[in-house]
Amino acid sequence: MDDILRIEGLTKAFGGVVAVRELDLDIQECQVTAIIGPNGAGKTTLFNLIAGVFPPTRGRIIFQGRDLKGMPDYRRAGMGIGRTFQDVRLFGNMSVLENVMVGLHLKGKSGMLDAAFHWPGARREEENVRLTAINTLNLVGLGRKADMKAGELTFGQQKLVAVARAVAPQPRLIMLDEPAAGSNALERMEISDLVKRIVEMKITVLLVEHDMRFVMGTAQRVVVLDGGVRIADGTPGQVQSDKRVIAAYLGEPEARA
Amino acid sequence: MVLALVRRRPKQLAIAALIVVLAIVPFLGNAYYTSVLIIIGINAMVAVGLCLLMGYTGQVSLGHAAFYGLGAYISAVLSRTYHVNPWLAMLAAVVATTAFAFAVGFPIFRLRGNYLAMATLGLGIILWILFREVDSITGGPSGLSGVPYLSIAGFNFSSDFRFYYLVWGFCIAIMVISESIVASRMGRAMRAVHGSESAAQSLGVNAAVVKVKVLALSAAYAAVAGSLFTYYLTFVSPQPFDFLFSVQLVVMAVVGGLASIWGAVFGAGAIRVLSEVLHPFGELDVVVFGLLLMVVMILTPQGLVRGIADLWHRFVSVRLAPTR
Ligand SMILES: Nc1ncnc2c1ncn2[C@@H]1O[C@H](COP(=O)(O)OP(=O)(O)OP(=O)(O)O)[C@@H](O)[C@H]1O
Ligand SMILES: [Mg+2]
């Protein structure tokens, strides 16, 4: 299988704290790769580097054969890199549907003047975007909440809207930062199913998750970070029995649920 | 029947009611009401633009009087000093002010929060000083008189009666355009930037460009308003474009509930009426505006209009509960 993403010698230092250190990583297309590791291991920082939130201190990120150096985050979205945030970040004052429609921003072209003068093309585009957004909401099982304010949903539902918002434009790669955190066992199973359906849409998934059972049931490959360094990499089974992993992560006084 | 209509179509009904009321006022024959409503209409255009910028996009501006003044001065100078057709002068004023907003927008929106507030404040003060000090062009503190009237094919907008309809025609057009923008792809991007800039960018929204475009649009509105203002008075001077007016504009938007175009128009009306009432007490109005701003922010952060609308909704839904 092809590598959709290649990371070479990636390093990010925040002042004295080195969050990611000399990381080499290849991500294969159309599979689920889980990034796990204890708190502060650098998982979210890795996502932020790939998404272009801030530049790396050193190293390269190559996406579909193209070096992303210097490319701002909103342009990386256009390249097909989508993400969710650990702290959700929905647009709380907008409806659930509108949140997903913002996800389709780059699928539309109409600007201020089109809207001001009601160009017919803009209206057609708007209808298409609305339909795609509704379909995506149905995919995550929230079609009936479309008109609710996003801020009024439960935390679990908000996380699903965030996934829908990122999936809607059909990115090539989607990064989910703790999609199941704060969800109950039933919801976690639903989210795991959802992740599998996303991969079936030919979208490569990178996900961070602390819940081991979720990771083992969802990912084909598990990469373990500790102190910004990769300490293990393999199938869920291999990683689970790795001594260093058990020491660094699973062996933590009762790994977080 | 009527209540059912009110419940189902509140916005359309409100627009119709506003148009009817506005259309009737000049026929009451009270010149004072007409002139106050002209000023309200002019202020409302600026307030609507500020509402798009502050309420919808989440970017503060404490210098919006600058764009208003720039529009007024460009129209006045071109039409009076250079004898350009007043409509063309107004068009030039809008284009130039919009371009100016684009130019200052990119550096200014590198700043956030308090720094952005300070920079826009500075912009307002700098332009105000230029209006006062560049005597040779602006006429200095005493301004320029003899600005021509607007006219269409010999029909002069020289009376309050005529000007009133011109102003409110522009104002309603601006309101309708703004409502469409807010509901569109662009409007969603604006509200997304307000909600979470990082999330918006992760979805491909270039936040800096969105902010600058909204600033430019609001500057265009302000330039239309400023031009109309100068053609109404056939005079221009620095005083109406001072810092106090920038603050008043913010109060208008806040009283109206920030993220509400209707609210901004209502806010413009309320603040204007209030300053008319307070006029005999001189500088006292500044104090009252400050207090009003604080009280509204504390009691109904969503603005007076929303507060009243909530009460109204409660009333309507109680009255009509059985028919549902
Ligand atoms: N923007 C930032 N500025 C300064 N330090 C940061 C920043 N982002 C992350 N860090 C630091 O980098 C280290 C790695 O943080 P990161 O958020 O990547 O960890 P994580 O693996 O996602 O942890 P968690 O499981 O708690 O989410 C931490 O020490 C953190 O304090
Ligand atoms: Mg994290």
Side-chain angles (χ1 to χ4, degrees):
Chain A
M1 240 179 285
D2 288 338
D3 293 339
I4 187 170
L5 181 71
R6 305 192 52 158
I7 286 168
E8 296 172 2
L10 195 67
T11 301
K12 181 68 188 180
F14 297 108
V17 181
V18 182
V20 173
R21 188 189 298 268
E22 296 296 333
L23 183 69
D24 295 314
L25 189 64
D26 295 339
I27 300 298
Q28 273 97 55
E29 205 153 11
C30 297
Q31 70 174 37
V32 180
T33 305
I35 314 281
I36 67 169
N39 294 123
K43 307 178 296 291
T44 299
T45 304
L46 175 63
F47 278 12
N48 284 335
L49 287 168
I50 297 169
V53 172
F54 37 59
T57 309
R58 267 193 307 283
R60 299 207 300 163
I61 300 167
I62 294 149
F63 179 71
Q64 292 186 310
R66 185 161 166 194
D67 193 338
L68 296 183
K69 188 172 165 54
M71 189 186 283
D73 49 356
Y74 56 86
R75 292 235 355 254
R76 294 188 195 200
M79 299 268 305
I81 298 179
R83 71 166 310 177
T84 64
F85 295 87
Q86 192 168 345
D87 54 357
V88 196
R89 302 192 197 175
L90 285 190
F91 311 123
N93 275 328
M94 298 168 73
S95 76
V96 169
L97 184 69
E98 282 181 315
N99 266 270
V100 181
M101 287 172 85
V102 176
L104 293 161
H105 184 77
L106 293 175
K107 297 291 167 190
K109 285 197 291 284
S110 70
M112 227 165 201
L113 293 181
D114 302 288
F117 299 110
H118 287 275
W119 275 188
R123 200 170 304 173
R124 219 172 311 120
E125 175 189 297
E126 187 79 358
E127 259 332 290
N128 289 335
V129 163
R130 184 180 300 275
L131 268 179
T132 313
I134 289 172
N135 288 337
T136 316
L137 275 175
N138 286 333
L139 175 82
V140 303
L142 285 177
R144 290 216 313 251
K145 308 277 182 193
D147 293 327
M148 274 181 76
K149 256 194 183 175
E152 288 166 0
L153 297 181
T154 66
F155 186 70
Q157 290 170 334
Q158 293 198 17
K159 290 220 135 181
L160 287 174
V161 175
V163 173
R165 189 174 72 174
V167 167
Q170 303 241 2
R172 303 306 315 140
L173 170 75
I174 190 168
M175 300 183 282
L176 307 175
D177 202 343
E178 307 201 6
S183 307
N184 62 36
L186 180 69
E187 286 169 333
R188 257 178 259 165
M189 261 167 59
E190 286 170 3
I191 296 168
S192 180
D193 281 345
L194 174 61
V195 170
K196 287 167 191 161
R197 265 176 292 150
I198 291 173
V199 177
E200 278 164 22
M201 296 162 68
K202 303 242 177 304
I203 299 173
T204 308
V205 178
L206 262 182
L207 68 82
V208 167
E209 193 48 69
H210 282 287
D211 179 48
M212 290 312 293
R213 205 133 35 102
F214 181 91
V215 169
M216 298 305 157
T218 314
Q220 280 94 58
R221 177 185 173 198
V222 180
V223 174
V224 188
L225 293 185
D226 188 17
V229 177
R230 176 170 56 173
I231 59 165
D233 188 346
T235 64
Q238 290 168 343
V239 166
Q240 221 165 2
S241 52
D242 188 299
K243 278 203 214 67
R244 290 177 64 186
V245 176
I246 294 167
Y249 184 64
L250 301 176
E252 246 181 56
E254 202 41 66
R256 275 178 20 191
Chain B
M1 236 307 275
V2 177
L3 275 180
L5 190 66
V6 169
R7 198 183 57 178
R8 226 174 314 122
R9 291 266 154 92
K11 208 158 223 169
Q12 284 85 338
L13 215 69
I15 294 179
L18 179 74
I19 291 177
V20 169
V21 170
L22 284 173
I24 291 172
V25 168
F27 290 99
L28 300 178
N30 186 322
Y32 174 67
Y33 288 167
T34 308
S35 70
V36 169
L37 269 162
I38 288 173
I39 299 300
I40 289 176
I42 290 173
N43 289 349
M45 293 180 222
V46 193
V48 167
L50 193 60
C51 152
L52 292 179
L53 185 69
M54 286 183 61
Y56 286 92
T57 319
Q59 307 303 310
V60 68
S61 167
L62 291 181
H64 241 59
F67 302 116
Y68 181 52
L70 201 57
Y73 269 98
I74 295 174
S75 274
V77 170
L78 286 180
S79 63
R80 189 202 86 113
T81 314
Y82 297 98
H83 308 291
V84 175
N85 173 297
W87 290 108
L88 274 183
M90 181 165 161
L91 183 65
V94 172
V95 170
T97 306
T98 308
F100 174 71
F102 264 111
V104 296
F106 279 101
I108 251 183
F109 285 125
R110 300 177 78 104
L111 307 172
R112 272 156 223 282
N114 294 340
Y115 297 102
L116 179 63
M118 296 298 278
T120 52
L121 176 67
L123 179 74
I125 291 172
I126 290 169
L127 279 198
W128 184 70
I129 291 174
L130 287 180
F131 298 150
R132 282 172 52 105
E133 303 301 326
V134 189
D135 287 40
S136 56
I137 301 171
T138 65
S142 52
L144 299 171
S145 54
V147 176
Y149 288 114
L150 283 169
S151 65
I152 298 175
F155 181 90
N156 273 325
F157 290 96
S158 51
S159 70
D160 275 19
F161 185 84
R162 291 170 174 186
F163 208 84
Y164 173 92
Y165 288 104
L166 182 71
V167 161
W168 279 100
F170 269 102
C171 187
I172 287 170
I174 279 177
M175 290 169 69
V176 170
I177 287 172
S178 303
E179 288 278 7
S180 313
I181 289 175
V182 163
S184 74
R185 171 174 178 267
M186 180 66 190
R188 283 192 299 272
M190 287 158 56
R191 287 174 287 152
V193 167
H194 189 183
S196 165
E197 217 172 303
S198 54
Q201 298 233 126
S202 81
L203 301 166
V205 175
N206 185 341
V209 166
V210 169
K211 293 178 197 172
V212 173
K213 279 185 177 169
V214 178
L215 181 74
L217 180 70
S218 72
Y221 290 176
V224 169
S227 300
L228 290 173
F229 185 56
T230 200
Y231 291 132
Y232 174 56
L233 301 178
T234 64
F235 170 73
V236 69
S237 72
Q239 185 270 325
F241 314 114
D242 61 4
F243 168 63
L244 181 62
F245 188 65
S246 287
V247 173
Q248 275 195 27
L249 285 168
V250 172
V251 180
M252 289 174 199
V254 169
V255 165
L258 279 174
S260 159
I261 284 151
W262 281 85
V265 176
F266 173 86
I271 296 311
R272 190 66 218 175
V273 169
L274 195 62
S275 57
E276 291 290 324
V277 172
L278 294 174
H279 193 69
F281 304 102
E283 296 282 288
L284 188 67
D285 57 351
V286 185
V287 179
V288 173
F289 289 133
L291 283 174
L292 185 68
L293 187 62
M294 284 166 61
V295 169
V296 170
M297 289 306 265
I298 293 166
L299 290 184
T300 58
Q302 305 192 299
L304 283 181
V305 174
R306 181 64 76 80
I308 293 167
D310 281 349
L311 277 180
W312 171 249
H313 273 289
R314 227 170 289 160
F315 166 75
V316 171
S317 59
V318 167
R319 285 290 297 272
L320 290 173
T323 63
R324 217 177 187 161

